[in-house]
Amino acid sequence: QVQLVDTGGGSVQAGGSLRLSCALNGYSFDRYYIGWFRQAPGKEREGVAALYPRGSSQFYADSVKGRFAISQDDGKDTLYLQMNTLKAEDTGMYYCAAGGQEPFDGARYRYWGQGTQVTVSS
């Protein structure tokens, strides 16, 4: 049984950093995308960063390029999102997802974490 557990959210000031973690319990497929999505109040969910484990290709939303970095540990059982130079517009609930057939199409991901809140104050 696959269970994703998101942790690492919190409240920071603009310009600060946070690292999100996602335990990929029971998940071991390297031919599907894994990634991070976020949803701000009153806005649609959007893809932030994605990884295709086979080949380690990475994908980023334009709004986070150069500031966020997605990675996976050597054992491939934890997914990370390092977030630097945070902005107020990065505020939202962040979800890890796995089993994706497209990097940023949330409807095509099979597994989801419960979400972790990130709040950036300006």
Side-chain angles (χ1 to χ4, degrees):
Q1 184 178 356
V2 176
Q3 183 181 24
L4 308 185
V5 180
D6 309 326
T7 57
S11 297
V12 296
Q13 291 191 332
S17 298
L18 282 173
R19 188 175 80 157
L20 306 183
S21 298
C22 174
L24 303 168
N25 300 318
Y27 183 83
S28 61
F29 306 106
D30 65 355
R31 294 189 178 186
Y32 294 94
Y33 294 93
I34 50 177
W36 292 93
F37 290 74
R38 68 185 180 191
Q39 187 165 22
K43 294 188 177 181
E44 293 187 355
R45 182 179 59 195
E46 63 173 344
V48 174
L51 178 70
Y52 190 76
R54 184 172 289 241
S56 297
S57 299
Q58 299 179 5
F59 305 85
Y60 295 95
D62 288 343
S63 59
V64 306
K65 281 181 182 176
R67 300 189 297 121
F68 289 13
I70 188 171
S71 63
Q72 197 174 12
D73 70 333
D74 289 343
K76 297 190 182 298
D77 56 5
T78 306
L79 182 68
Y80 300 102
L81 183 68
Q82 178 67 44
M83 305 186 295
N84 299 325
T85 320
L86 283 161
K87 304 176 181 179
E89 51 263 43
D90 294 319
T91 294
M93 185 70 78
Y94 283 68
Y95 300 89
C96 73
Q101 297 184 334
E102 297 288 341
F104 290 147
D105 184 346
R108 304 197 70 183
Y109 275 76
R110 183 173 180 182
Y111 306 104
W112 290 84
Q114 81 285 0
T116 185
Q117 178 67 37
V118 172
T119 302
V120 184
S121 57
S122 57

mmCIF file of all heavy atoms in Angstrom, residues 29-34 50-60 70-72 76:
data_model
loop_
_atom_site.group_PDB
_atom_site.id
_atom_site.type_symbol
_atom_site.label_atom_id
_atom_site.label_comp_id
_atom_site.label_asym_id
_atom_site.label_seq_id
_atom_site.Cartn_x
_atom_site.Cartn_y
_atom_site.Cartn_z
ATOM 1 N N PHE A 29 8.093 3.065 -8.081
ATOM 2 C CA PHE A 29 8.019 3.070 -9.540
ATOM 3 C C PHE A 29 8.870 4.202 -10.104
ATOM 4 O O PHE A 29 8.639 5.361 -9.800
ATOM 5 C CB PHE A 29 6.568 3.240 -9.985
ATOM 6 C CG PHE A 29 5.645 2.222 -9.373
ATOM 7 C CD1 PHE A 29 4.770 2.578 -8.364
ATOM 8 C CD2 PHE A 29 5.668 0.911 -9.793
ATOM 9 C CE1 PHE A 29 3.919 1.651 -7.790
ATOM 10 C CE2 PHE A 29 4.839 -0.033 -9.219
ATOM 11 C CZ PHE A 29 3.964 0.340 -8.222
ATOM 12 N N ASP A 30 9.844 3.889 -10.944
ATOM 13 C CA ASP A 30 10.728 4.930 -11.457
ATOM 14 C C ASP A 30 10.384 5.370 -12.864
ATOM 15 O O ASP A 30 11.107 6.162 -13.450
ATOM 16 C CB ASP A 30 12.187 4.487 -11.366
ATOM 17 C CG ASP A 30 12.502 3.298 -12.256
ATOM 18 O OD1 ASP A 30 11.571 2.751 -12.871
ATOM 19 O OD2 ASP A 30 13.686 2.930 -12.333
ATOM 20 N N ARG A 31 9.276 4.868 -13.417
ATOM 21 C CA ARG A 31 8.881 5.277 -14.762
ATOM 22 C C ARG A 31 7.668 6.190 -14.749
ATOM 23 O O ARG A 31 6.980 6.336 -15.760
ATOM 24 C CB ARG A 31 8.612 4.053 -15.629
ATOM 25 C CG ARG A 31 9.843 3.238 -15.891
ATOM 26 C CD ARG A 31 9.598 2.169 -16.918
ATOM 27 N NE ARG A 31 10.803 1.405 -17.205
ATOM 28 C CZ ARG A 31 10.893 0.479 -18.154
ATOM 29 N NH1 ARG A 31 9.855 0.215 -18.910
ATOM 30 N NH2 ARG A 31 12.022 -0.164 -18.336
ATOM 31 N N TYR A 32 7.418 6.783 -13.577
ATOM 32 C CA TYR A 32 6.339 7.746 -13.463
ATOM 33 C C TYR A 32 6.890 8.985 -12.757
ATOM 34 O O TYR A 32 7.829 8.920 -11.982
ATOM 35 C CB TYR A 32 5.165 7.175 -12.665
ATOM 36 C CG TYR A 32 4.472 6.024 -13.345
ATOM 37 C CD1 TYR A 32 4.836 4.713 -13.068
ATOM 38 C CD2 TYR A 32 3.479 6.253 -14.286
ATOM 39 C CE1 TYR A 32 4.216 3.656 -13.701
ATOM 40 C CE2 TYR A 32 2.842 5.195 -14.923
ATOM 41 C CZ TYR A 32 3.224 3.903 -14.626
ATOM 42 O OH TYR A 32 2.613 2.861 -15.251
ATOM 43 N N TYR A 33 6.245 10.113 -13.011
ATOM 44 C CA TYR A 33 6.691 11.354 -12.392
ATOM 45 C C TYR A 33 6.337 11.372 -10.909
ATOM 46 O O TYR A 33 5.309 10.837 -10.478
ATOM 47 C CB TYR A 33 6.024 12.545 -13.077
ATOM 48 C CG TYR A 33 6.442 12.724 -14.514
ATOM 49 C CD1 TYR A 33 5.711 12.152 -15.551
ATOM 50 C CD2 TYR A 33 7.578 13.462 -14.832
ATOM 51 C CE1 TYR A 33 6.093 12.306 -16.866
ATOM 52 C CE2 TYR A 33 7.968 13.623 -16.150
ATOM 53 C CZ TYR A 33 7.231 13.049 -17.156
ATOM 54 O OH TYR A 33 7.618 13.203 -18.458
ATOM 55 N N ILE A 34 7.199 12.010 -10.154
ATOM 56 C CA ILE A 34 6.906 12.371 -8.774
ATOM 57 C C ILE A 34 7.127 13.872 -8.664
ATOM 58 O O ILE A 34 7.983 14.424 -9.375
ATOM 59 C CB ILE A 34 7.778 11.605 -7.754
ATOM 60 C CG1 ILE A 34 9.266 11.684 -8.106
ATOM 61 C CG2 ILE A 34 7.349 10.151 -7.660
ATOM 62 C CD1 ILE A 34 10.179 11.011 -7.103
ATOM 63 N N ALA A 50 8.763 18.789 -10.594
ATOM 64 C CA ALA A 50 8.543 17.367 -10.836
ATOM 65 C C ALA A 50 9.855 16.712 -11.226
ATOM 66 O O ALA A 50 10.783 17.367 -11.722
ATOM 67 C CB ALA A 50 7.485 17.165 -11.918
ATOM 68 N N LEU A 51 9.887 15.419 -10.999
ATOM 69 C CA LEU A 51 11.090 14.636 -11.250
ATOM 70 C C LEU A 51 10.690 13.342 -11.941
ATOM 71 O O LEU A 51 9.699 12.704 -11.550
ATOM 72 C CB LEU A 51 11.777 14.335 -9.913
ATOM 73 C CG LEU A 51 13.026 13.483 -9.895
ATOM 74 C CD1 LEU A 51 14.185 14.243 -10.520
ATOM 75 C CD2 LEU A 51 13.378 13.088 -8.468
ATOM 76 N N TYR A 52 11.447 12.997 -12.976
ATOM 77 C CA TYR A 52 11.270 11.689 -13.601
ATOM 78 C C TYR A 52 12.453 10.856 -13.159
ATOM 79 O O TYR A 52 13.573 11.072 -13.636
ATOM 80 C CB TYR A 52 11.221 11.829 -15.112
ATOM 81 C CG TYR A 52 10.804 10.562 -15.816
ATOM 82 C CD1 TYR A 52 9.475 10.169 -15.818
ATOM 83 C CD2 TYR A 52 11.739 9.767 -16.467
ATOM 84 C CE1 TYR A 52 9.074 9.010 -16.455
ATOM 85 C CE2 TYR A 52 11.348 8.603 -17.107
ATOM 86 C CZ TYR A 52 10.012 8.227 -17.102
ATOM 87 O OH TYR A 52 9.618 7.073 -17.725
ATOM 88 N N PRO A 53 12.238 9.947 -12.215
ATOM 89 C CA PRO A 53 13.373 9.268 -11.589
ATOM 90 C C PRO A 53 14.326 8.570 -12.555
ATOM 91 O O PRO A 53 15.548 8.652 -12.398
ATOM 92 C CB PRO A 53 12.707 8.250 -10.658
ATOM 93 C CG PRO A 53 11.391 8.862 -10.339
ATOM 94 C CD PRO A 53 10.974 9.552 -11.602
ATOM 95 N N ARG A 54 13.766 7.896 -13.556
ATOM 96 C CA ARG A 54 14.632 7.237 -14.539
ATOM 97 C C ARG A 54 15.258 8.318 -15.419
ATOM 98 O O ARG A 54 14.597 8.930 -16.244
ATOM 99 C CB ARG A 54 13.843 6.256 -15.364
ATOM 100 C CG ARG A 54 14.686 5.460 -16.350
ATOM 101 C CD ARG A 54 13.856 4.388 -16.973
ATOM 102 N NE ARG A 54 13.553 3.326 -16.010
ATOM 103 C CZ ARG A 54 13.926 2.058 -16.143
ATOM 104 N NH1 ARG A 54 14.629 1.714 -17.182
ATOM 105 N NH2 ARG A 54 13.603 1.154 -15.242
ATOM 106 N N GLY A 55 16.501 8.603 -15.198
ATOM 107 C CA GLY A 55 17.181 9.667 -15.913
ATOM 108 C C GLY A 55 17.276 10.953 -15.115
ATOM 109 O O GLY A 55 18.006 11.871 -15.485
ATOM 110 N N SER A 56 16.507 11.026 -14.008
ATOM 111 C CA SER A 56 16.574 12.179 -13.106
ATOM 112 C C SER A 56 16.263 13.506 -13.771
ATOM 113 O O SER A 56 16.826 14.538 -13.407
ATOM 114 C CB SER A 56 17.962 12.250 -12.436
ATOM 115 O OG SER A 56 18.181 11.109 -11.637
ATOM 116 N N SER A 57 15.389 13.503 -14.759
ATOM 117 C CA SER A 57 14.978 14.767 -15.378
ATOM 118 C C SER A 57 14.145 15.574 -14.388
ATOM 119 O O SER A 57 13.324 15.024 -13.661
ATOM 120 C CB SER A 57 14.143 14.487 -16.629
ATOM 121 O OG SER A 57 14.889 13.773 -17.573
ATOM 122 N N GLN A 58 14.372 16.873 -14.377
ATOM 123 C CA GLN A 58 13.666 17.755 -13.459
ATOM 124 C C GLN A 58 12.861 18.790 -14.237
ATOM 125 O O GLN A 58 13.278 19.229 -15.305
ATOM 126 C CB GLN A 58 14.651 18.456 -12.529
ATOM 127 C CG GLN A 58 15.450 17.502 -11.660
ATOM 128 C CD GLN A 58 16.430 18.213 -10.759
ATOM 129 O OE1 GLN A 58 16.482 19.440 -10.697
ATOM 130 N NE2 GLN A 58 17.215 17.442 -10.035
ATOM 131 N N PHE A 59 11.745 19.185 -13.670
ATOM 132 C CA PHE A 59 10.867 20.155 -14.303
ATOM 133 C C PHE A 59 10.431 21.162 -13.240
ATOM 134 O O PHE A 59 10.152 20.785 -12.102
ATOM 135 C CB PHE A 59 9.624 19.456 -14.872
ATOM 136 C CG PHE A 59 9.957 18.340 -15.822
ATOM 137 C CD1 PHE A 59 10.239 17.067 -15.344
ATOM 138 C CD2 PHE A 59 10.012 18.560 -17.186
ATOM 139 C CE1 PHE A 59 10.560 16.027 -16.195
ATOM 140 C CE2 PHE A 59 10.329 17.541 -18.054
ATOM 141 C CZ PHE A 59 10.606 16.273 -17.565
ATOM 142 N N TYR A 60 10.392 22.431 -13.625
ATOM 143 C CA TYR A 60 10.022 23.491 -12.685
ATOM 144 C C TYR A 60 9.035 24.457 -13.320
ATOM 145 O O TYR A 60 9.149 24.785 -14.507
ATOM 146 C CB TYR A 60 11.260 24.270 -12.232
ATOM 147 C CG TYR A 60 12.236 23.446 -11.436
ATOM 148 C CD1 TYR A 60 13.325 22.838 -12.043
ATOM 149 C CD2 TYR A 60 12.052 23.260 -10.065
ATOM 150 C CE1 TYR A 60 14.211 22.067 -11.310
ATOM 151 C CE2 TYR A 60 12.943 22.489 -9.325
ATOM 152 C CZ TYR A 60 14.012 21.893 -9.959
ATOM 153 O OH TYR A 60 14.890 21.124 -9.226
ATOM 154 N N ILE A 70 14.137 20.246 -6.604
ATOM 155 C CA ILE A 70 13.531 18.964 -6.245
ATOM 156 C C ILE A 70 14.619 17.897 -6.264
ATOM 157 O O ILE A 70 15.520 17.929 -7.105
ATOM 158 C CB ILE A 70 12.375 18.612 -7.216
ATOM 159 C CG1 ILE A 70 11.622 17.381 -6.734
ATOM 160 C CG2 ILE A 70 12.892 18.427 -8.640
ATOM 161 C CD1 ILE A 70 10.336 17.109 -7.532
ATOM 162 N N SER A 71 14.536 16.975 -5.330
ATOM 163 C CA SER A 71 15.533 15.908 -5.281
ATOM 164 C C SER A 71 14.947 14.687 -4.590
ATOM 165 O O SER A 71 13.892 14.767 -3.949
ATOM 166 C CB SER A 71 16.804 16.369 -4.565
ATOM 167 O OG SER A 71 16.519 16.694 -3.208
ATOM 168 N N GLN A 72 15.648 13.592 -4.727
ATOM 169 C CA GLN A 72 15.236 12.332 -4.118
ATOM 170 C C GLN A 72 16.456 11.737 -3.451
ATOM 171 O O GLN A 72 17.564 11.840 -3.974
ATOM 172 C CB GLN A 72 14.681 11.399 -5.199
ATOM 173 C CG GLN A 72 13.852 10.246 -4.704
ATOM 174 C CD GLN A 72 13.234 9.457 -5.841
ATOM 175 O OE1 GLN A 72 13.588 9.619 -7.004
ATOM 176 N NE2 GLN A 72 12.286 8.589 -5.517
ATOM 177 N N LYS A 76 15.729 6.440 -2.642
ATOM 178 C CA LYS A 76 14.519 6.747 -3.415
ATOM 179 C C LYS A 76 13.249 6.570 -2.585
ATOM 180 O O LYS A 76 12.178 6.293 -3.127
ATOM 181 C CB LYS A 76 14.456 5.926 -4.705
ATOM 182 C CG LYS A 76 15.604 6.223 -5.660
ATOM 183 C CD LYS A 76 15.394 5.597 -7.009
ATOM 184 C CE LYS A 76 16.566 5.861 -7.937
ATOM 185 N NZ LYS A 76 16.767 7.295 -8.202
#
